[in-house]
Amino acid sequence: MNALWWAYGGCAALIGLCIGSFANVCIDRLPHDRNLLDRSACPVCGHAIRSKDLIPVVSFVTLHGKCRDCGAPIPPVTPWIEVLGGLLAALAYRKFIPDAGSLDLAHGAAWTLYFGFLAALMIATLTDIRHRIILDQTSIYAAPIGILGVAAAQALGYDGWPHLTWKNAVLGASANGVFLGGIALVLQWVLRRDGLGWGDVKLLVMIGAFLGLTFWPLMFASVLGASAGILLVLRRSKSEYLPFGPSLALGAALYVLYGDLFLARFFPGMEQLNQSLGLP
């Protein structure tokens, strides 16, 4: 049975590599409203990329990081995004299917739901860094998927971390939108300009749909963002554009993967109190 658990884990990692490859396509095309179904082609010579050259990581290595037709370099970040997808899939598998006894439909649904969430966070982060935009497809449009996914996992009998019901998912999405949207409006009124991007608000709505009503991801994001900003100022002695979306995404990812361990270590008893109140 343990061998079967490892085999499924390997399959999960392979799926993650493929999702990482698809993430590269999304990051490149969605900000420019390009069709995701169009065949991939070299941006330099225009030749369609052969199927054998679309194998995640392997193709980059065998091609020595260059286009087969014209020799133009493939961005070195490409395989790392694929690897990140595989790593997130493996970590989510270990989290939501922790042992052979968890190989059932309910835990499989939870893995599917939260790995999809982590993949959306990855795409949102990288598009925000590269294009300074958080896509609606990886934020507000994904919120209903989170609510429906939580409801489906609950219907299948999943009751593990993060201990959500669909009602709590709806409440989390709504409360996050009202809270951060209110802050954005106040900053806009005080500063006479956008002090907080509405993409960040939409992203937090999506996070609430998957994680429910909890302040921990936002707290993690605030600490991460403040730390990054301080380091940037100290290093360059000036302020620069620092997107908040990546901090939100990283905070939410850390909460999904390690939030229960964090609460048990530093706030013992809080998880039980939250469950008694109907909160995650």
Side-chain angles (χ1 to χ4, degrees):
M1 196 65 173
N2 284 333
L4 184 61
W5 182 83
W6 281 104
Y8 276 115
C11 291
L14 289 175
I15 291 172
L17 288 172
C18 294
I19 295 299
S21 180
F22 179 68
N24 277 312
V25 176
C26 293
I27 296 163
D28 181 58
R29 298 184 186 183
L30 285 179
H32 305 291
D33 294 323
R34 293 167 54 197
N35 193 335
L36 295 178
L37 300 180
D38 289 343
R39 187 167 181 179
S40 297
C42 174
V44 178
C45 67
H47 281 90
I49 299 176
R50 299 163 179 80
S51 298
K52 64 180 180 181
D53 294 335
L54 294 174
I55 304 173
V57 182
V58 174
S59 294
F60 182 88
V61 173
T62 56
L63 292 172
H64 304 289
K66 297 179 181 179
C67 172
R68 182 182 294 275
D69 294 295
C70 68
I74 301 171
V77 71
T78 299
W80 288 110
I81 294 175
E82 296 168 347
V83 169
L84 179 58
L87 177 62
L88 290 174
L91 290 174
Y93 180 81
R94 182 66 181 84
K95 186 68 179 182
F96 294 99
I97 310 179
D99 50 45
S102 304
L103 289 172
D104 55 37
L105 187 58
H107 287 83
W111 174 80
T112 302
L113 174 65
Y114 285 101
F115 170 57
F117 175 57
L118 292 171
L121 293 175
M122 176 177 67
I123 296 172
T125 296
L126 294 171
T127 51
D128 198 13
I129 292 173
R130 185 179 300 181
H131 302 284
R132 297 191 178 185
I133 183 174
I134 295 178
L135 302 167
D136 286 345
Q137 292 90 332
T138 55
S139 57
I140 195 70
Y141 292 168
I145 297 175
I147 295 170
L148 292 174
V150 168
Q154 181 186 6
L156 290 170
Y158 180 76
D159 60 354
W161 177 258
H163 307 295
L164 285 190
T165 66
W166 69 267
K167 293 180 180 179
N168 192 268
V170 171
L171 180 61
S174 303
N176 282 0
V178 170
F179 175 70
L180 202 60
I183 292 177
L185 289 173
V186 170
L187 289 175
Q188 191 176 49
W189 178 72
V190 172
L191 301 176
R192 304 301 179 186
R193 59 179 176 81
D194 288 339
L196 183 66
W198 286 100
D200 298 328
V201 177
K202 296 175 184 178
L203 182 61
L204 195 62
V205 169
M206 187 267 281
I207 290 172
F210 281 87
L211 300 182
L213 183 59
T214 175
F215 68 91
W216 291 108
L218 184 58
M219 187 199 74
F220 292 161
S222 299
V223 173
L224 291 168
S227 301
I230 292 171
L231 289 174
L232 191 63
V233 170
L234 291 176
R235 181 180 177 183
R236 303 192 179 183
S237 301
K238 62 179 181 179
S239 61
E240 287 191 8
Y241 171 77
L242 185 66
F244 189 50
S247 296
L248 279 175
L250 182 56
L254 290 174
Y255 185 75
V256 168
L257 296 172
Y258 305 109
D260 55 340
L261 302 178
F262 173 83
L263 293 179
R265 176 66 178 84
F266 297 102
F267 298 92
M270 178 170 285
E271 186 176 348
Q272 290 77 6
L273 176 61
N274 287 345
Q275 289 183 54
S276 67
L277 296 174
L279 302 175

